[in-house]
Amino acid sequence: MTDPRDTVLTHALQAEGTFDPGRAPAGIKRIPSGVDGLATEHLVVNIGPQHPSTHGVLRLVAELDGEEVMNVEVAVGYLHRGIEKLGEHRRYHQLGTLMDRGDYVSGIHGELAAALAAEQLLEVEVPPRGQWLRSLMSEVNRIASHLVWFGTFGLDCGAMGQFLYAMREREALLDVLESVTGQRMMFNYVRPGGVLDDITPDAEQKLRTFLRTIDSYLDEHHALLGGNEIFQKRVRGVGVIDRETGLAFGLTGANLRGSGVPYDVRRDKPYAAYTELDFDVPLGATGDAWDRYLVRMEEMRQAARMCRQCIEGLPEGDVMAKVPRVLRPPAGETYACVESPRGELGVHLVADGSDTPYRFHYRAPSLFAMQVLEEILPGHLLADAIMLIGSVDIVLGEIDR
Amino acid sequence: MWGKGILTGMRITMRNMLRGPITVKYPYERLEIPERARWAVVPKYDGEGKPKCTACMACVRACPDHILDLEFTTREDKSKHIERYSYEIGACMMCGLCVEACPFDAIEMSHDYELARLDPAELTYDLLADVDAVPVKRARPAATPKAELARADSSPAELSREEASDE
């Protein structure tokens, strides 16, 4: 005998069209097992924008069935500053200051992309020492950026200790960057034509000390977080991005390499001094969060390896080519890209012969990594969804611009 | 064995606890600032204590944030008087482009990083007020010796003859 109250409730909900057992509501990709007979409603939860686990100001509109994520919509724009439009009113020298504030965790890469694009338009040749310093500082910044990811990814999984240790390691790198560029985050170091200044003896000594210890520290970090069984249970086999999905969404960087696609801008479209550096491109097998974790951990080791090569092989000479004080590239357009810690960071510049770009577009790798969340989150638990936001390593500064 | 990783982690945490702190107690202890650190813009002065600024406006044009403003008057003898060199530190991002643009080495990025103010109005202030700008000395080619001038005046044929006789 059925409970009359159930019948009434089901009937009322069906009349409103919100519950229809056997047919998924619009946008719902999967009906969870065991709930068909119950008159349950899905709960729409706003995650963010002001929430530390969203890595900035990402807003997720998640449709939940209990603890399970049914559907996710990502909403962006909470950090919009109009960087692309501002770029149309900045001289080519000044674009770096905007790019620093795009991906603020790895400013050197943004500056480098803008500088490369301006150099392609101007047809300027950067002296070898400038090229090598660009590579060196890029790799220093890559380790610093990956350390931030490593720390916060652990936080998203519920671990705490490694965050502080990662920040301690990063501090040494920020000291190096501050000594060379003058700032800890907004460097404004890479310019069209080269770099601002040479490496300082103080920075070189600090970097050598860091590079002597980083491998053992990374082993320790990996043992602390990656060796933890709880962490492994959380990330292994979760959030699988297969090869086709990764390519279809335009993923780049460690997210794509985690899925086994060997694409690295440093190797495939070399810039700066990467043709002369020896490094491996780590690849994942299945594309789950664990693979992305391993790829990024290995990238830090490879970056440290490249830093050593850069310090040893730094050629003598100027760091800056002779460029005019005000750059006026001839009319034309170009695209330059670099491998930022988050993927292929590109700058598309359209010049009209004046001292400011006609159009300045910025390809932010995080934007694509964020969109894949809509694809991979449904079907996971809410706690895993938070972990997966961390696993694709997004920076909202470059998504919203 | 399940749980081995957790025990390893605890050992690592303990090891890190014994490594000691890397932080300093800020207002009482201060870290050394590197030479290239960029903080608030300050004017530079020559040996006599006069500002080196020539009111050429290069810094004003170089600033990506448009926070520098230089008001000056030109007197009858073409000399410039700086009325106000306004600097809005609240919007300054310390990129250093103004210092690089300055052809007369008249401004620099200081190491003063304690820039908080109680009143927002204090965040815009004057770097130089009511001072005379240094007259711009145009670089002229060094005076050519008279013998050289005489050589230049002579015709190419004469020059080649002279060179031949020199040898």
Side-chain angles (χ1 to χ4, degrees), chain A residues 90 94 97 101 165 168 178 180-183 186-188 191 196-198 200 217 220 223-224 227 229 325, chain B residues 1-6 9 12-13 15-16 19 22 34 36-38 62 64 93-95 97 100-101:
Chain A
R90 294 288 183 280
Q94 299 171 339
T97 60
R101 284 150 182 83
Y165 307 143
R168 181 189 61 199
E178 191 187 14
V180 176
T181 70
Q183 288 282 17
M186 309 300 174
F187 311 107
N188 199 19
R191 306 293 168 80
L196 169 67
D197 216 334
D198 212 338
T200 55
Y217 274 122
E220 197 181 288
L224 177 62
E229 286 88 352
R325 203 173 272 268
Chain B
M1 188 188 85
W2 211 92
K4 194 175 155 223
I6 296 170
I12 291 169
T13 318
R15 197 191 300 157
N16 274 300
R19 274 184 184 138
I22 60 152
R36 283 185 198 164
R38 298 194 301 261
M93 53 184 179
M94 282 86 183
C95 65
L97 287 172
E100 282 167 46

Side-chain angles (χ1 to χ4, degrees), chain B residues 46-108:
Chain B
D46 61 9
E48 296 162 21
K50 285 184 186 161
K52 287 160 100 177
C53 182
T54 60
C56 69
M57 305 287 279
C59 52
V60 178
R61 281 192 290 269
C63 180
D65 282 350
H66 313 300
I67 56 161
L68 287 168
D69 193 15
L70 218 153
E71 292 164 28
F72 62 89
T73 48
T74 312
R75 296 190 185 125
E76 284 173 9
D77 61 345
K78 302 271 175 70
S79 69
K80 287 176 181 171
H81 179 83
I82 300 170
E83 305 279 344
R84 183 177 164 78
Y85 187 175
S86 153
Y87 172 49
E88 190 184 348
I89 194 164
C92 181
M93 53 184 179
M94 282 86 183
C95 65
L97 287 172
C98 52
V99 175
E100 282 167 46
C102 183
F104 301 100
D105 191 26
I107 45 175
E108 66 176 338

Side-chain angles (χ1 to χ4, degrees), chain A residues 149 153 156 255 289 292 296 386-393:
Chain A
W149 161 81
F153 183 44
D156 291 336
N255 294 326
R292 292 194 282 282
R296 290 207 177 87
I386 300 298
M387 181 276 287
L388 287 174
I389 299 171
S391 86
V392 293
D393 190 21

Side-chain angles (χ1 to χ4, degrees), chain A residues 294-313:
Chain A
L294 289 181
V295 165
R296 290 207 177 87
M297 292 304 277
E298 182 56 30
E299 269 185 20
M300 276 194 261
R301 291 200 174 85
Q302 294 297 329
R305 191 175 146 202
M306 275 185 261
C307 282
R308 283 187 204 103
Q309 294 172 31
C310 281
I311 289 192
E312 298 308 327

